[in-house]
Amino acid sequence: MVVVHGMFRHALGRLPAQVRAVPDGTREKAGVVVDHIELGIDALHHHHTAEDRLLWPVLMERAGPDRDVVERMESQHEGLAGLLERVQVQAAQFRYTASATDGEHLAETLQTLSDKLDEHLSDEEAHILPLAEQHMTGHEWDHLGEEATKGLGLEQRVVMMGMLKESATSEDADLLLHHAPVLVTKVGWPLVMHRQYESYMRRLTDATSH
């Protein structure tokens, strides 16, 4: 979970600068960046939805005296959900206008999202992970991880894997991916998916270069 959190911090923390780097009025480039934003926030939404369904109810039932911590996490998720909705609205506007003004509004909201998310993830790592280790089975924990990625499309999976490999040490990335199919990690990634990720990132870099 800490490795996944690092990936989200890495990816979302870069978004404000990427939005601000789009040249004023270049709608095609704004569209590329907005696609990237939507991919990231959709992955974050899946991550949080899995926790809402499979983590908080279990801990509320089993953690007893620590229920207030779980309630705090749920409240933080509600606040983040509101920010994600605002990002979606502003991103749609920026896609249409590509104006520097709309981009700045979006970048400011993305910065707030990044800051609030970092606070939430730090809180979760400090207080929820120990509770999960104490009160959840290995099967329940693995199922949570599977559900968090279940609805992701192929491009999202490729981009998330690439960003995870960028943001984590090779040891941490290998540890997280050890449950992934061998055909993905040993064949798909080195032969095909790695090139797909590099192509994706080149498009993103081109869109944020004057």
Side-chain angles (χ1 to χ4, degrees), residues 92-104:
Q93 177 71 9
F94 183 55
R95 182 194 293 277
Y96 179 72
T97 68
S99 77
T101 299
D102 288 335
E104 183 58 30

Side-chain angles (χ1 to χ4, degrees), residues 115-209:
D115 293 342
K116 294 294 184 182
L117 180 65
D118 184 60
E119 292 175 8
H120 167 69
L121 297 181
S122 296
D123 202 3
E124 191 174 287
E125 289 162 7
H127 299 102
I128 292 299
L129 294 189
L131 290 178
E133 185 175 8
Q134 181 179 356
H135 296 290
M136 296 181 71
T137 67
H139 175 74
E140 288 172 331
W141 185 253
D142 288 343
H143 182 52
L144 172 65
E146 292 166 2
E147 287 295 307
T149 60
K150 194 173 184 178
L152 299 181
L154 178 60
E155 184 178 47
Q156 284 178 302
R157 291 174 183 273
V158 169
V159 174
M160 293 300 108
M161 185 178 294
M163 289 188 168
L164 187 147
K165 286 178 172 291
E166 282 186 5
S167 61
T169 65
S170 58
E171 292 81 5
D172 284 343
D174 290 343
L175 181 63
L176 181 67
L177 296 171
H178 79 283
H179 286 309
V182 173
L183 283 177
V184 172
T185 59
K186 302 300 183 183
V187 179
W189 177 259
L191 294 183
V192 179
M193 298 168 71
H194 179 62
R195 288 199 298 272
Q196 291 175 330
Y197 177 68
E198 287 184 335
S199 176
Y200 177 95
M201 293 306 295
R202 280 196 299 270
R203 291 197 306 273
L204 184 61
T205 299
D206 289 344
T208 55
S209 300

Side-chain angles (χ1 to χ4, degrees), residues 42-75:
D42 187 57
L44 180 61
H45 172 72
H46 278 86
H47 179 78
H48 281 177
T49 298
E51 291 180 334
D52 292 340
R53 290 180 50 244
L54 301 174
L55 181 57
W56 311 142
V58 171
L59 295 183
M60 285 293 286
E61 178 182 348
R62 302 175 189 173
D66 296 298
R67 288 168 61 98
D68 60 325
V69 176
V70 182
E71 290 172 351
R72 186 169 73 245
M73 296 297 107
E74 291 179 315
S75 177

